[in-house]
Amino acid sequence: MYTGNDEIIPLPKVFISGCGSMLNVHFTDSDASLWHNIYYHYMLDHGIYLASRGYTPLNLEITDETVDKFVDVVK
């Protein structure tokens, strides 16, 4: 990642970006595509439905229990 001051900082193997109510998990190593697919299917297997490309919209009707479940499954 270029920081603008001639310093290059490597990206972490996994990071989350977002804008507003949208989150997206990114994998960056040479197996990024494989990890992305594993993440997607793992989340589905645990009842967390998200877009196949990793976008996760937050819903206004989520409960603390739903947030806790999401965090536990991501861990």
Side-chain angles (χ1 to χ4, degrees):
M1 166 189 263
Y2 179 65
T3 63
N5 61 2
D6 295 329
E7 180 181 5
I8 296 176
I9 300 171
L11 291 171
K13 289 185 179 184
V14 179
F15 69 94
I16 297 174
S17 66
C19 182
S21 65
M22 294 294 294
L23 301 175
N24 196 2
V25 176
H26 303 272
F27 299 92
T28 63
D29 67 1
S30 61
D31 293 325
S33 180
L34 173 66
W35 283 112
H36 175 81
N37 288 327
I38 290 170
Y39 169 75
Y40 171 71
H41 289 286
Y42 182 84
M43 297 299 277
L44 286 179
D45 286 347
H46 287 84
I48 306 290
Y49 301 97
L50 44 94
S52 62
R53 61 184 183 255
Y55 286 110
T56 306
L58 300 178
N59 187 312
L60 294 177
E61 297 182 16
I62 59 174
T63 63
D64 288 343
E65 180 181 287
T66 305
V67 172
D68 291 341
K69 178 181 178 179
F70 179 80
V71 170
D72 288 341
V73 172
V74 169
K75 285 181 183 179

